[in-house]
Amino acid sequence: MHGYTANKDDILKRLRRIEGQVRGLQRLVDEDTYCIDVLTQVSATTKALQSFGLTMLEDHLYSCVADAIAEGGDGARDKVQEASQAIARMVRT
Amino acid sequence: MHGYTANKDDILKRLRRIEGQVRGLQRLVDEDTYCIDVLTQVSATTKALQSFGLTMLEDHLYSCVADAIAEGGDGARDKVQEASQAIARMVRT
Amino acid sequence: MHGYTANKDDILKRLRRIEGQVRGLQRLVDEDTYCIDVLTQVSATTKALQSFGLTMLEDHLYSCVADAIAEGGDGARDKVQEASQAIARMVRT
Amino acid sequence: MHGYTANKDDILKRLRRIEGQVRGLQRLVDEDTYCIDVLTQVSATTKALQSFGLTMLEDHLYSCVADAIAEGGDGARDKVQEASQAIARMVRT
């Protein structure tokens, strides 16, 4: 069980919408749409992916990381470090 | 004709790969994969989208914007401004 | 006391270095340095600020957020939510 | 002469303000300010640096890159490539 398990259906719906946005990009390119309009859709799709990631991160902090902290010991420091590395990857993309 | 038209097949192939990455995210969630592993894939997919956008932008600068600059007049300033706004959206996602 | 208090001297040293980078930008502009070289220094300064923020965030997760989680109750959810909003701001800049 | 030379005074004023924001961060840390409030100021400073970079980039596109395009030949492709690499660095910070 993970923090997101309880919201799995919503999460999968969100990911299917993002999949649809990427297919929408393919249609725009296929129809020779003006570059800037394609780039606007790229930014919208990137934003959707980002906010999906932020939701998953919050669930993770409030479940997996919180559980490790409640148990205490080295497990807590490892979980916080692991989450911080994931946050760094998100910040740098 | 746009800057990317000559590379349309490569571009569509790239977008289909990104679509596959998003479907891969759905599989990870469906299989209750550990949150951090899902987040790692989110960052990889975001990076693929970003570098797709950067390639499209470079093509745009070297075709549509360059043509407008070569013609001169207000069209050039508008095209540079439009490209700068697209760049700002990319930087802020 | 906050997570960063124990490392205050290092943190202040880091911030003074970033301040120096911003003053370095002023010198580059003052000396009519080529735009791309100025932009390269802007990216380096932004990166230094970002990694400063990521260090502060990790300290916060491992101190303030961990303490609130250990105490349990609503305080824990509020702290996680507050940290997630700070992470969202970092991701979107 | 570069694209930004005509606005040098405004640019230097903007950079001095960003320098002030970084010194403000030092004060916050020195006064043991709550981590989240420091992180909020980090995001605000990062945003100010980013929009400074975007302004400089637009000036560069409309001057140095435009001039190279107007002259034509390999110089134009090099300038567009160089600008695209600077944009990639900005997007990835």
Side-chain angles (χ1 to χ4, degrees):
Chain A
M1 275 281 291
H2 301 299
Y4 67 80
T5 309
N7 313 317
K8 220 163 144 181
D9 292 343
D10 286 345
I11 286 175
L12 288 171
K13 209 189 300 176
R14 245 173 124 171
L15 286 174
R16 280 193 292 273
R17 218 180 304 134
I18 293 172
E19 186 189 337
Q21 283 181 286
V22 178
R23 269 206 300 278
L25 277 170
Q26 291 166 31
R27 262 194 316 278
L28 291 179
V29 167
D30 213 35
E31 292 161 1
D32 283 312
T33 305
Y34 181 46
C35 322
I36 294 291
D37 298 331
V38 178
L39 286 172
T40 302
Q41 182 60 20
V42 169
S43 293
T45 311
T46 307
K47 211 161 235 180
L49 250 176
Q50 250 176 14
S51 66
F52 165 76
L54 288 167
T55 305
M56 178 143 280
L57 178 69
E58 183 165 356
D59 286 342
H60 177 65
L61 290 175
Y62 198 56
S63 57
C64 311
V65 176
D67 294 347
I69 286 170
E71 278 164 40
D74 284 348
R77 165 60 69 178
D78 295 346
K79 276 286 189 237
V80 168
Q81 219 162 25
E82 188 188 50
S84 298
Q85 285 158 1
I87 294 163
R89 281 193 296 272
M90 290 173 81
V91 168
R92 291 194 176 118
T93 39
Chain B
M1 273 284 289
H2 301 298
Y4 68 81
T5 308
N7 312 319
K8 218 163 148 181
D9 292 342
D10 287 346
I11 288 175
L12 289 170
K13 208 189 301 174
R14 246 174 122 170
L15 286 173
R16 280 194 292 272
R17 217 178 306 137
I18 294 171
E19 186 189 336
Q21 284 181 285
V22 177
R23 270 207 300 279
L25 278 169
Q26 290 166 31
R27 261 194 317 278
L28 291 179
V29 167
D30 213 33
E31 293 159 1
D32 284 310
T33 306
Y34 180 47
C35 321
I36 293 292
D37 297 331
V38 178
L39 285 172
T40 301
Q41 182 59 21
V42 169
S43 292
T45 311
T46 306
K47 209 161 238 180
L49 251 174
Q50 250 176 14
S51 64
F52 165 75
L54 288 167
T55 306
M56 178 144 279
L57 178 70
E58 184 165 355
D59 286 343
H60 177 65
L61 289 175
Y62 198 56
S63 59
C64 311
V65 176
D67 295 347
I69 287 170
E71 278 164 41
D74 283 350
R77 166 59 68 175
D78 296 345
K79 277 287 187 230
V80 168
Q81 221 163 25
E82 187 188 51
S84 300
Q85 285 157 2
I87 294 163
R89 281 192 297 272
M90 291 172 81
V91 168
R92 292 195 176 116
T93 37
Chain C
M1 275 285 290
H2 302 298
Y4 67 81
T5 308
N7 312 318
K8 221 165 149 183
D9 291 341
D10 286 346
I11 287 176
L12 288 171
K13 208 187 308 176
R14 243 172 126 172
L15 285 173
R16 279 192 293 273
R17 217 178 306 134
I18 293 172
E19 185 190 335
Q21 283 181 285
V22 178
R23 268 208 299 279
L25 277 169
Q26 290 167 31
R27 260 194 318 277
L28 291 179
V29 168
D30 212 34
E31 294 159 1
D32 283 309
T33 306
Y34 180 47
C35 323
I36 294 291
D37 297 332
V38 178
L39 286 171
T40 301
Q41 182 58 25
V42 169
S43 293
T45 312
T46 307
K47 210 161 239 182
L49 251 175
Q50 249 177 14
S51 65
F52 165 76
L54 288 167
T55 306
M56 177 143 281
L57 178 69
E58 184 166 354
D59 286 343
H60 177 64
L61 289 175
Y62 198 57
S63 59
C64 312
V65 176
D67 296 346
I69 286 170
E71 278 164 42
D74 284 349
R77 166 59 70 178
D78 294 347
K79 276 288 188 234
V80 169
Q81 221 163 23
E82 187 188 52
S84 299
Q85 285 158 1
I87 294 163
R89 281 192 297 272
M90 290 173 81
V91 168
R92 291 195 176 116
T93 38
Chain D
M1 274 283 291
H2 302 297
Y4 67 82
T5 308
N7 313 319
K8 220 165 147 181
D9 292 342
D10 288 345
I11 287 176
L12 288 171
K13 209 188 305 175
R14 246 174 122 170
L15 285 173
R16 280 193 292 273
R17 218 179 306 136
I18 293 171
E19 186 190 336
Q21 284 180 285
V22 178
R23 270 206 300 278
L25 277 170
Q26 291 167 31
R27 261 194 317 279
L28 291 178
V29 167
D30 212 35
E31 292 160 4
D32 284 309
T33 307
Y34 180 46
C35 322
I36 295 290
D37 297 332
V38 178
L39 285 172
T40 302
Q41 181 60 22
V42 169
S43 292
T45 311
T46 307
K47 213 163 233 175
L49 251 174
Q50 249 176 14
S51 64
F52 165 75
L54 288 167
T55 306
M56 175 142 284
L57 179 69
E58 184 166 355
D59 285 343
H60 177 64
L61 289 176
Y62 198 57
S63 59
C64 311
V65 177
D67 294 347
I69 287 170
E71 278 164 38
D74 283 349
R77 165 61 68 178
D78 296 346
K79 276 287 188 233
V80 168
Q81 221 163 27
E82 188 187 52
S84 299
Q85 285 158 0
I87 294 163
R89 281 192 297 271
M90 291 174 81
V91 169
R92 291 197 176 113
T93 39

